[in-house]
Short mmCIF file of all heavy atoms in Angstrom, two decimals:
data_model
loop_
_atom_site.label_atom_id
_atom_site.label_comp_id
_atom_site.label_asym_id
_atom_site.label_seq_id
_atom_site.Cartn_x
_atom_site.Cartn_y
_atom_site.Cartn_z
N MET A 18 95.49 88.08 79.61
CA MET A 18 96.37 88.46 80.70
C MET A 18 96.66 87.23 81.54
O MET A 18 95.73 86.53 81.95
CB MET A 18 95.69 89.55 81.52
CG MET A 18 96.60 90.33 82.37
SD MET A 18 95.74 91.71 83.16
CE MET A 18 96.66 93.05 82.48
N SER A 19 97.91 86.99 81.82
CA SER A 19 98.24 85.79 82.57
C SER A 19 98.06 86.03 84.08
O SER A 19 97.90 87.16 84.54
CB SER A 19 99.71 85.39 82.29
OG SER A 19 100.60 86.30 82.90
N LYS A 20 98.09 84.93 84.81
CA LYS A 20 97.91 85.00 86.26
C LYS A 20 99.06 85.77 86.92
O LYS A 20 98.82 86.51 87.90
CB LYS A 20 97.82 83.58 86.83
CG LYS A 20 97.29 83.54 88.24
CD LYS A 20 97.26 82.14 88.80
CE LYS A 20 96.11 81.36 88.27
NZ LYS A 20 95.92 80.07 88.95
N ASP A 21 100.25 85.63 86.39
CA ASP A 21 101.40 86.35 86.97
C ASP A 21 101.25 87.87 86.78
O ASP A 21 101.61 88.64 87.67
CB ASP A 21 102.70 85.87 86.33
CG ASP A 21 103.11 84.50 86.85
OD1 ASP A 21 102.67 84.13 87.96
OD2 ASP A 21 103.86 83.81 86.13
N GLN A 22 100.74 88.28 85.64
CA GLN A 22 100.55 89.71 85.39
C GLN A 22 99.48 90.26 86.34
O GLN A 22 99.64 91.37 86.88
CB GLN A 22 100.15 89.95 83.95
CG GLN A 22 101.27 89.73 82.96
CD GLN A 22 100.79 89.85 81.53
OE1 GLN A 22 99.63 89.57 81.23
NE2 GLN A 22 101.68 90.26 80.65
N ILE A 23 98.42 89.53 86.54
CA ILE A 23 97.37 89.95 87.47
C ILE A 23 97.93 90.05 88.89
O ILE A 23 97.65 91.01 89.61
CB ILE A 23 96.16 89.02 87.40
CG1 ILE A 23 95.51 89.10 86.02
CG2 ILE A 23 95.14 89.35 88.48
CD1 ILE A 23 94.45 88.08 85.76
N ARG A 24 98.73 89.07 89.28
CA ARG A 24 99.33 89.09 90.61
C ARG A 24 100.25 90.29 90.77
O ARG A 24 100.27 90.94 91.83
CB ARG A 24 100.11 87.80 90.86
CG ARG A 24 99.24 86.63 91.19
CD ARG A 24 100.03 85.39 91.55
NE ARG A 24 101.10 85.68 92.47
CZ ARG A 24 102.32 85.15 92.40
NH1 ARG A 24 102.61 84.28 91.46
NH2 ARG A 24 103.24 85.46 93.29
N ASN A 25 101.02 90.62 89.73
CA ASN A 25 101.91 91.77 89.80
C ASN A 25 101.13 93.07 89.94
O ASN A 25 101.51 93.96 90.71
CB ASN A 25 102.83 91.83 88.56
CG ASN A 25 103.92 90.80 88.61
OD1 ASN A 25 104.30 90.34 89.68
ND2 ASN A 25 104.44 90.44 87.47
N ILE A 26 100.03 93.19 89.21
CA ILE A 26 99.21 94.40 89.29
C ILE A 26 98.60 94.53 90.69
O ILE A 26 98.60 95.61 91.29
CB ILE A 26 98.12 94.39 88.20
CG1 ILE A 26 98.78 94.56 86.84
CG2 ILE A 26 97.08 95.48 88.46
CD1 ILE A 26 97.83 94.33 85.68
N LEU A 27 98.10 93.41 91.23
CA LEU A 27 97.53 93.45 92.58
C LEU A 27 98.59 93.79 93.62
O LEU A 27 98.32 94.53 94.57
CB LEU A 27 96.87 92.11 92.91
CG LEU A 27 95.59 91.79 92.16
CD1 LEU A 27 95.14 90.36 92.45
CD2 LEU A 27 94.50 92.77 92.51
N ASN A 28 99.81 93.29 93.44
CA ASN A 28 100.91 93.62 94.36
C ASN A 28 101.28 95.09 94.29
O ASN A 28 101.54 95.73 95.31
CB ASN A 28 102.15 92.76 94.04
CG ASN A 28 102.30 91.62 95.00
OD1 ASN A 28 101.80 91.67 96.12
ND2 ASN A 28 102.99 90.60 94.57
N ILE A 29 101.30 95.66 93.08
CA ILE A 29 101.63 97.09 92.92
C ILE A 29 100.55 97.94 93.59
O ILE A 29 100.88 98.91 94.29
CB ILE A 29 101.78 97.42 91.43
CG1 ILE A 29 103.07 96.79 90.90
CG2 ILE A 29 101.81 98.93 91.21
CD1 ILE A 29 103.22 96.84 89.41
N ILE A 30 99.28 97.58 93.40
CA ILE A 30 98.20 98.32 94.04
C ILE A 30 98.34 98.24 95.56
O ILE A 30 98.17 99.24 96.28
CB ILE A 30 96.83 97.79 93.58
CG1 ILE A 30 96.62 98.10 92.10
CG2 ILE A 30 95.69 98.38 94.41
CD1 ILE A 30 95.40 97.45 91.50
N PHE A 31 98.68 97.05 96.06
CA PHE A 31 98.85 96.88 97.52
C PHE A 31 99.99 97.76 98.03
O PHE A 31 99.85 98.45 99.04
CB PHE A 31 99.12 95.42 97.85
CG PHE A 31 99.68 95.22 99.23
CD1 PHE A 31 98.90 95.41 100.34
CD2 PHE A 31 101.00 94.86 99.40
CE1 PHE A 31 99.42 95.25 101.62
CE2 PHE A 31 101.53 94.70 100.67
CZ PHE A 31 100.73 94.89 101.79
N MET A 32 101.13 97.73 97.34
CA MET A 32 102.30 98.48 97.83
C MET A 32 102.03 99.99 97.81
O MET A 32 102.37 100.69 98.77
CB MET A 32 103.53 98.14 96.99
CG MET A 32 104.06 96.77 97.27
SD MET A 32 105.62 96.41 96.46
CE MET A 32 105.08 96.11 94.79
N ILE A 33 101.41 100.49 96.75
CA ILE A 33 101.10 101.91 96.69
C ILE A 33 100.09 102.29 97.79
O ILE A 33 100.26 103.30 98.48
CB ILE A 33 100.57 102.29 95.29
CG1 ILE A 33 101.70 102.17 94.27
CG2 ILE A 33 99.99 103.70 95.28
CD1 ILE A 33 101.25 102.31 92.84
N GLY A 34 99.07 101.46 97.94
CA GLY A 34 98.07 101.73 98.98
C GLY A 34 98.66 101.69 100.38
O GLY A 34 98.31 102.51 101.23
N ALA A 35 99.57 100.75 100.61
CA ALA A 35 100.18 100.65 101.93
C ALA A 35 101.04 101.88 102.23
O ALA A 35 100.98 102.43 103.34
CB ALA A 35 101.01 99.38 102.03
N VAL A 36 101.80 102.33 101.27
CA VAL A 36 102.67 103.50 101.48
C VAL A 36 101.82 104.76 101.70
O VAL A 36 102.07 105.51 102.65
CB VAL A 36 103.64 103.68 100.29
CG1 VAL A 36 104.35 105.02 100.36
CG2 VAL A 36 104.65 102.56 100.25
N VAL A 37 100.81 104.94 100.87
CA VAL A 37 99.94 106.12 101.03
C VAL A 37 99.20 106.04 102.37
O VAL A 37 99.07 107.04 103.08
CB VAL A 37 98.95 106.23 99.85
CG1 VAL A 37 97.89 107.27 100.11
CG2 VAL A 37 99.70 106.54 98.56
N GLY A 38 98.73 104.86 102.72
CA GLY A 38 98.00 104.70 103.97
C GLY A 38 98.86 104.98 105.19
O GLY A 38 98.42 105.64 106.13
N VAL A 39 100.10 104.52 105.16
CA VAL A 39 101.00 104.77 106.30
C VAL A 39 101.33 106.25 106.40
O VAL A 39 101.37 106.82 107.50
CB VAL A 39 102.28 103.91 106.19
CG1 VAL A 39 103.35 104.37 107.16
CG2 VAL A 39 101.95 102.45 106.42
N ILE A 40 101.55 106.90 105.26
CA ILE A 40 101.83 108.34 105.28
C ILE A 40 100.65 109.11 105.87
O ILE A 40 100.84 110.00 106.72
CB ILE A 40 102.17 108.84 103.86
CG1 ILE A 40 103.55 108.31 103.44
CG2 ILE A 40 102.15 110.36 103.80
CD1 ILE A 40 103.89 108.54 101.99
N LEU A 41 99.44 108.76 105.45
CA LEU A 41 98.27 109.44 106.00
C LEU A 41 98.04 109.06 107.46
O LEU A 41 97.59 109.90 108.24
CB LEU A 41 97.04 109.11 105.16
CG LEU A 41 96.98 109.72 103.77
CD1 LEU A 41 95.75 109.23 103.03
CD2 LEU A 41 97.00 111.23 103.84
N TYR A 42 98.32 107.83 107.81
CA TYR A 42 98.12 107.39 109.19
C TYR A 42 99.02 108.12 110.16
O TYR A 42 98.65 108.39 111.30
CB TYR A 42 98.38 105.88 109.28
CG TYR A 42 98.14 105.30 110.64
CD1 TYR A 42 96.85 105.04 111.09
CD2 TYR A 42 99.18 105.00 111.49
CE1 TYR A 42 96.62 104.51 112.33
CE2 TYR A 42 98.97 104.47 112.75
CZ TYR A 42 97.68 104.22 113.16
OH TYR A 42 97.46 103.70 114.40
N LEU A 43 100.21 108.48 109.71
CA LEU A 43 101.16 109.15 110.60
C LEU A 43 100.93 110.66 110.72
O LEU A 43 101.63 111.32 111.47
CB LEU A 43 102.59 108.88 110.12
CG LEU A 43 103.03 107.42 110.23
CD1 LEU A 43 104.40 107.23 109.63
CD2 LEU A 43 102.97 106.92 111.66
N GLN A 44 99.94 111.18 110.00
CA GLN A 44 99.62 112.60 110.10
C GLN A 44 98.96 112.89 111.45
O GLN A 44 98.33 112.03 112.04
CB GLN A 44 98.68 113.03 108.97
CG GLN A 44 99.26 112.85 107.60
CD GLN A 44 100.48 113.71 107.35
OE1 GLN A 44 100.52 114.88 107.74
NE2 GLN A 44 101.48 113.13 106.72
N LYS A 45 99.10 114.10 111.90
CA LYS A 45 98.57 114.45 113.21
C LYS A 45 97.06 114.73 113.18
O LYS A 45 96.39 114.67 114.19
CB LYS A 45 99.30 115.67 113.76
CG LYS A 45 100.75 115.36 114.01
CD LYS A 45 101.46 116.52 114.67
CE LYS A 45 102.93 116.28 114.64
NZ LYS A 45 103.53 115.89 115.83
N ASN A 46 96.53 115.02 112.01
CA ASN A 46 95.10 115.30 111.89
C ASN A 46 94.31 113.99 112.09
O ASN A 46 94.63 112.98 111.49
CB ASN A 46 94.82 115.89 110.51
CG ASN A 46 93.39 116.36 110.37
OD1 ASN A 46 92.57 116.19 111.26
ND2 ASN A 46 93.09 116.95 109.24
N GLU A 47 93.28 114.02 112.89
CA GLU A 47 92.50 112.81 113.20
C GLU A 47 91.78 112.27 111.97
O GLU A 47 91.66 111.07 111.80
CB GLU A 47 91.49 113.12 114.31
CG GLU A 47 90.65 111.95 114.74
CD GLU A 47 91.46 110.84 115.39
OE1 GLU A 47 92.45 111.15 116.06
OE2 GLU A 47 91.09 109.66 115.22
N GLN A 48 91.30 113.17 111.11
CA GLN A 48 90.56 112.73 109.93
C GLN A 48 91.49 112.00 108.95
O GLN A 48 91.13 110.96 108.41
CB GLN A 48 89.91 113.92 109.25
CG GLN A 48 88.97 113.53 108.13
CD GLN A 48 88.24 114.75 107.59
OE1 GLN A 48 88.55 115.87 107.94
NE2 GLN A 48 87.26 114.51 106.74
N THR A 49 92.68 112.52 108.70
CA THR A 49 93.61 111.84 107.81
C THR A 49 94.16 110.57 108.45
O THR A 49 94.49 109.61 107.76
CB THR A 49 94.77 112.75 107.39
OG1 THR A 49 95.44 113.22 108.55
CG2 THR A 49 94.28 113.92 106.57
N HIS A 50 94.24 110.56 109.76
CA HIS A 50 94.66 109.37 110.49
C HIS A 50 93.70 108.22 110.23
O HIS A 50 94.11 107.10 109.93
CB HIS A 50 94.73 109.72 111.99
CG HIS A 50 95.15 108.60 112.88
ND1 HIS A 50 96.47 108.29 113.08
CD2 HIS A 50 94.44 107.73 113.61
CE1 HIS A 50 96.53 107.26 113.89
NE2 HIS A 50 95.30 106.91 114.25
N GLN A 51 92.42 108.51 110.31
CA GLN A 51 91.39 107.50 110.08
C GLN A 51 91.33 107.11 108.60
O GLN A 51 91.17 105.93 108.28
CB GLN A 51 90.05 108.05 110.53
CG GLN A 51 88.97 107.01 110.66
CD GLN A 51 87.73 107.58 111.32
OE1 GLN A 51 87.52 108.80 111.29
NE2 GLN A 51 86.91 106.72 111.86
N LEU A 52 91.51 108.06 107.70
CA LEU A 52 91.52 107.77 106.27
C LEU A 52 92.70 106.85 105.91
O LEU A 52 92.54 105.92 105.12
CB LEU A 52 91.61 109.07 105.46
CG LEU A 52 91.65 108.94 103.95
CD1 LEU A 52 90.36 108.33 103.43
CD2 LEU A 52 91.93 110.29 103.31
N GLY A 53 93.85 107.09 106.54
CA GLY A 53 95.01 106.23 106.30
C GLY A 53 94.74 104.80 106.74
O GLY A 53 95.14 103.85 106.07
N LEU A 54 94.03 104.65 107.83
CA LEU A 54 93.69 103.32 108.31
C LEU A 54 92.77 102.60 107.33
O LEU A 54 92.97 101.41 107.03
CB LEU A 54 93.00 103.43 109.68
CG LEU A 54 92.92 102.17 110.52
CD1 LEU A 54 94.31 101.79 110.97
CD2 LEU A 54 92.00 102.38 111.67
N TYR A 55 91.80 103.31 106.78
CA TYR A 55 90.90 102.71 105.80
C TYR A 55 91.64 102.33 104.51
O TYR A 55 91.37 101.28 103.92
CB TYR A 55 89.75 103.64 105.49
CG TYR A 55 88.76 103.80 106.60
CD1 TYR A 55 88.22 105.04 106.92
CD2 TYR A 55 88.37 102.71 107.38
CE1 TYR A 55 87.32 105.20 107.95
CE2 TYR A 55 87.47 102.85 108.41
CZ TYR A 55 86.95 104.08 108.70
OH TYR A 55 86.06 104.22 109.71
N ILE A 56 92.56 103.17 104.09
CA ILE A 56 93.34 102.87 102.87
C ILE A 56 94.20 101.63 103.09
O ILE A 56 94.31 100.78 102.20
CB ILE A 56 94.18 104.09 102.46
CG1 ILE A 56 93.26 105.21 101.96
CG2 ILE A 56 95.19 103.72 101.39
CD1 ILE A 56 93.96 106.50 101.67
N ILE A 57 94.78 101.48 104.27
CA ILE A 57 95.60 100.30 104.57
C ILE A 57 94.70 99.06 104.55
O ILE A 57 95.09 98.01 104.01
CB ILE A 57 96.30 100.47 105.93
CG1 ILE A 57 97.37 101.54 105.84
CG2 ILE A 57 96.91 99.16 106.39
CD1 ILE A 57 97.95 101.95 107.16
N LEU A 58 93.52 99.14 105.13
CA LEU A 58 92.60 97.98 105.14
C LEU A 58 92.17 97.60 103.73
O LEU A 58 92.11 96.41 103.40
CB LEU A 58 91.40 98.29 106.01
CG LEU A 58 91.67 98.36 107.51
CD1 LEU A 58 90.43 98.84 108.24
CD2 LEU A 58 92.12 97.03 108.04
N ILE A 59 91.89 98.59 102.88
CA ILE A 59 91.50 98.29 101.51
C ILE A 59 92.65 97.68 100.74
O ILE A 59 92.48 96.73 99.97
CB ILE A 59 90.97 99.57 100.84
CG1 ILE A 59 89.64 99.97 101.46
CG2 ILE A 59 90.80 99.38 99.32
CD1 ILE A 59 89.15 101.34 101.06
N SER A 60 93.86 98.19 100.94
CA SER A 60 95.01 97.63 100.23
C SER A 60 95.32 96.22 100.70
O SER A 60 95.82 95.39 99.94
CB SER A 60 96.23 98.54 100.37
OG SER A 60 96.66 98.62 101.70
N MET A 61 94.99 95.90 101.95
CA MET A 61 95.17 94.54 102.44
C MET A 61 94.22 93.59 101.72
O MET A 61 94.57 92.42 101.51
CB MET A 61 94.97 94.48 103.95
CG MET A 61 96.13 95.04 104.73
SD MET A 61 95.83 95.06 106.49
CE MET A 61 95.72 93.32 106.84
N CYS A 62 93.05 94.07 101.31
CA CYS A 62 92.13 93.21 100.53
C CYS A 62 92.76 92.84 99.20
O CYS A 62 92.59 91.70 98.74
CB CYS A 62 90.82 93.95 100.31
SG CYS A 62 89.87 94.19 101.82
N PHE A 63 93.48 93.78 98.58
CA PHE A 63 94.18 93.46 97.33
C PHE A 63 95.29 92.42 97.58
O PHE A 63 95.51 91.53 96.76
CB PHE A 63 94.79 94.71 96.70
CG PHE A 63 93.77 95.59 96.04
CD1 PHE A 63 93.31 96.73 96.67
CD2 PHE A 63 93.28 95.27 94.80
CE1 PHE A 63 92.37 97.54 96.07
CE2 PHE A 63 92.35 96.08 94.17
CZ PHE A 63 91.88 97.21 94.80
N LYS A 64 95.96 92.51 98.71
CA LYS A 64 97.00 91.53 99.03
C LYS A 64 96.40 90.16 99.28
O LYS A 64 96.98 89.13 98.89
CB LYS A 64 97.81 91.99 100.26
CG LYS A 64 98.97 91.12 100.59
CD LYS A 64 99.96 91.11 99.43
CE LYS A 64 101.16 90.25 99.74
NZ LYS A 64 102.09 90.18 98.62
N ILE A 65 95.25 90.10 99.94
CA ILE A 65 94.59 88.81 100.15
C ILE A 65 94.18 88.21 98.83
O ILE A 65 94.31 87.00 98.62
CB ILE A 65 93.39 89.00 101.11
CG1 ILE A 65 93.89 89.33 102.52
CG2 ILE A 65 92.51 87.77 101.14
CD1 ILE A 65 92.82 89.80 103.46
N ALA A 66 93.68 89.03 97.90
CA ALA A 66 93.30 88.53 96.58
C ALA A 66 94.52 87.98 95.85
O ALA A 66 94.47 86.93 95.20
CB ALA A 66 92.64 89.63 95.77
N GLU A 67 95.65 88.68 95.94
CA GLU A 67 96.88 88.22 95.29
C GLU A 67 97.37 86.93 95.91
O GLU A 67 97.78 86.01 95.20
CB GLU A 67 97.96 89.32 95.40
CG GLU A 67 99.23 89.00 94.65
CD GLU A 67 100.24 88.23 95.47
OE1 GLU A 67 100.24 88.37 96.71
OE2 GLU A 67 101.02 87.47 94.89
N SER A 68 97.29 86.83 97.21
CA SER A 68 97.73 85.61 97.89
C SER A 68 96.85 84.42 97.54
O SER A 68 97.35 83.30 97.37
CB SER A 68 97.72 85.81 99.41
OG SER A 68 98.63 86.80 99.76
N SER A 69 95.55 84.65 97.41
CA SER A 69 94.67 83.57 97.04
C SER A 69 94.93 83.11 95.59
O SER A 69 94.83 81.92 95.30
CB SER A 69 93.21 83.95 97.23
OG SER A 69 92.87 85.00 96.37
N LEU A 70 95.27 84.03 94.71
CA LEU A 70 95.65 83.64 93.36
C LEU A 70 96.93 82.82 93.35
O LEU A 70 97.09 81.91 92.53
CB LEU A 70 95.86 84.88 92.47
CG LEU A 70 94.61 85.52 91.89
CD1 LEU A 70 94.98 86.75 91.09
CD2 LEU A 70 93.88 84.54 91.01
N ARG A 71 97.84 83.13 94.26
CA ARG A 71 99.09 82.39 94.35
C ARG A 71 98.83 80.97 94.83
O ARG A 71 99.49 80.01 94.38
CB ARG A 71 100.04 83.08 95.32
CG ARG A 71 101.42 82.52 95.27
CD ARG A 71 102.40 83.24 96.18
NE ARG A 71 101.99 84.55 96.61
CZ ARG A 71 102.21 85.04 97.82
NH1 ARG A 71 102.81 84.30 98.73
NH2 ARG A 71 101.83 86.25 98.14
N MET A 72 97.86 80.78 95.70
CA MET A 72 97.57 79.45 96.23
C MET A 72 96.83 78.57 95.23
O MET A 72 96.93 77.36 95.27
CB MET A 72 96.75 79.57 97.51
CG MET A 72 97.53 80.14 98.66
SD MET A 72 96.49 80.23 100.10
CE MET A 72 97.41 81.39 101.07
N ILE A 73 96.06 79.22 94.33
CA ILE A 73 95.32 78.46 93.31
C ILE A 73 96.27 78.20 92.14
O ILE A 73 96.80 79.11 91.55
CB ILE A 73 94.09 79.25 92.83
CG1 ILE A 73 93.14 79.49 93.98
CG2 ILE A 73 93.39 78.50 91.71
CD1 ILE A 73 92.01 80.45 93.65
N LYS A 74 96.45 76.95 91.82
CA LYS A 74 97.38 76.63 90.73
C LYS A 74 96.67 76.31 89.46
O LYS A 74 95.59 75.97 89.31
CB LYS A 74 98.27 75.47 91.12
CG LYS A 74 99.14 75.86 92.28
CD LYS A 74 100.32 74.96 92.41
CE LYS A 74 101.15 75.53 93.54
NZ LYS A 74 102.45 75.08 93.60
#
């Protein structure tokens, strides 16, 4: 698997996680609000991993 394919997979995971997290974050229920925040934070870890792969040549 090439580095570009890994970066694309990490980007897709980030985008899906961000969308799901924002949807849950905007819910009125406090428990889903907090769960959405955690999902956004976890998906940001995938974005940081993708960005670090981009910086390493």
Side-chain angles (χ1 to χ4, degrees):
M18 199 173 241
S19 72
K20 195 183 282 190
D21 286 336
Q22 289 174 331
I23 295 171
R24 282 185 47 220
N25 285 337
I26 291 170
L27 290 173
N28 258 336
I29 290 170
I30 293 172
F31 164 71
M32 288 187 283
I33 291 171
V36 169
V37 170
V39 167
I40 289 170
L41 290 176
Y42 183 78
L43 294 176
Q44 299 297 318
K45 295 185 192 255
N46 187 356
E47 182 65 33
Q48 189 174 9
T49 57
H50 180 82
Q51 194 172 21
L52 179 65
L54 197 69
Y55 290 139
I56 291 174
I57 291 170
L58 290 173
I59 291 169
S60 65
M61 285 176 64
C62 293
F63 285 101
K64 185 61 179 177
I65 291 169
E67 185 272 332
S68 297
S69 64
L70 278 178
R71 190 178 342 142
M72 291 180 199
I73 298 171
K74 295 200 176 197

